[in-house]
Amino acid sequence: MGGKDLCLFDVDGTLTLSRQLINPEMKIFLSELHKKVAIGLVGGSDLEQIREQMRDPNFVESYDYVFPQNGLVAYKDGKLIGKESILEHMGEEKLQPFINFCLEYMSTLQLPAKRGNFIDFRSGLINICPVGRTCMQKEREEFAAYDKAHKIREHFIEDIQKKFPDLGLSYSIGGQISFDCFPTGWDKTACLKHIDSDTYSNIHFFGDRTFPGGNDYELFSHEAVIGHTVTSPDDTMEKLKQMYFS
């Protein structure tokens, strides 16, 4: 086992408020923490969205590891070292009926608001957003409250699974407004194959959606990882202060 710990972090709800920019205090804190531990980001969004949230055009070089798209794209020391392709893995003939079903399903939903960009096709996963990713912050919060009460995303996933029981996809709810669809096994634990565990004393992971069905659950509960559930960026900072600065 190596000397330093490796701390892996979810982004939304852990280092930042959901879809918001990192605050200056957290940026400074991570810089100080990085003197004590290695740091990796394991975010659900694509690289450009995480770059914007971290307020750092060179953030890929700023941390030891960066894993966008739930770890299905991998950077180490600023260099791309891995990338999964859901299109190559599954093929158009399987994906198009799935996408058509999701679009038709969302067309029947009555929500507080609907905007645009309902399906985000990424290299390693498909992100489904019933309210539309172009919604304003107020509309995002309205959907989050509506979803909490009516379980729109949970029921959507259940209906997909009934329609496509043998498609080989898994589903996880992340953030406030969307859920991810990816080949079974392509969850956040995918990042671990790019990490030499013998290099580190411990591998810690901090996330807010660590419950079954949340997009942090598999990595949080992995046997090679010490998982920590957090409730906000402030909670993340407080736990790290207790671990490394007390």
Side-chain angles (χ1 to χ4, degrees):
M1 302 292 283
K4 274 189 173 184
D5 284 356
L6 169 63
C7 290
L8 300 173
F9 297 96
D10 168 53
V11 179
D12 281 350
T14 301
L15 296 181
T16 76
L17 297 177
S18 186
R19 266 312 197 242
Q20 300 298 298
L21 303 182
I22 191 170
N23 68 46
E25 183 184 4
M26 177 64 86
K27 272 185 71 74
I28 294 170
F29 181 79
L30 288 178
S31 296
E32 291 301 310
L33 179 68
H34 205 185
K35 297 174 183 178
K36 297 175 177 287
V37 304
I39 291 179
L41 308 183
V42 192
S45 302
D46 61 24
L47 184 69
E48 291 309 312
Q49 176 62 43
I50 298 175
R51 191 194 310 278
E52 178 183 339
Q53 288 181 259
M54 297 304 291
R55 298 189 188 207
D56 182 359
N58 300 313
F59 88 105
V60 175
E61 292 81 21
S62 299
Y63 301 104
D64 302 271
Y65 298 94
V66 174
F67 299 108
Q69 298 187 38
N70 288 342
L72 301 174
V73 178
Y75 291 85
K76 181 180 181 182
D77 298 326
K79 297 179 180 178
L80 181 67
I81 58 172
K83 186 175 183 180
E84 303 288 358
S85 169
I86 189 173
L87 179 58
E88 291 181 8
H89 180 78
M90 296 189 65
E92 189 71 32
E93 67 280 1
K94 289 184 178 180
L95 288 175
Q96 195 165 140
F98 167 79
I99 291 171
N100 288 343
F101 173 81
C102 291
L103 288 170
E104 182 178 359
Y105 187 98
M106 286 185 284
S107 74
T108 67
L109 293 176
Q110 189 68 37
L111 304 174
K114 276 189 182 179
R115 296 301 174 251
N117 192 6
F118 301 100
I119 293 183
D120 190 4
F121 195 104
R122 304 172 186 170
S123 62
L125 59 86
I126 298 172
N127 180 266
I128 307 292
C129 181
V131 65
R133 303 200 68 84
T134 60
C135 64
M136 303 294 286
Q137 182 63 31
K138 181 176 180 291
E139 295 162 342
R140 167 187 289 271
E141 292 168 0
E142 288 173 348
F143 175 82
Y146 191 82
D147 182 61
K148 185 175 182 179
H150 298 279
K151 301 187 183 302
I152 298 298
R153 290 180 291 178
E154 285 186 34
H155 293 321
F156 197 162
I157 290 171
E158 290 170 359
D159 290 338
I160 290 174
Q161 290 171 322
K162 291 175 184 176
K163 178 68 175 179
F164 302 100
D166 303 314
L167 194 55
L169 288 177
S170 293
Y171 310 89
S172 66
I173 294 174
Q176 293 179 300
I177 60 173
S178 65
F179 62 92
D180 294 325
C181 316
F182 48 86
T184 300
W186 287 23
D187 51 61
K188 283 191 174 182
T189 60
C191 74
L192 296 176
K193 68 183 179 182
H194 300 290
I195 297 171
D196 181 2
S197 59
D198 291 335
T199 304
Y200 305 103
S201 297
N202 299 288
I203 300 176
H204 296 272
F205 173 66
F206 298 79
D208 66 315
R209 291 188 168 269
T210 57
F211 49 84
N215 68 345
D216 296 324
Y217 174 73
E218 288 83 4
L219 186 54
F220 166 81
S221 59
H222 194 278
E223 60 184 8
V225 172
I226 301 170
H228 304 267
T229 301
V230 299
T231 57
S232 67
D234 287 344
D235 186 38
T236 302
M237 201 180 305
E238 186 58 37
K239 284 182 167 59
L240 289 163
K241 286 177 180 177
Q242 293 174 10
M243 291 171 62
Y244 295 109
F245 296 93
S246 61

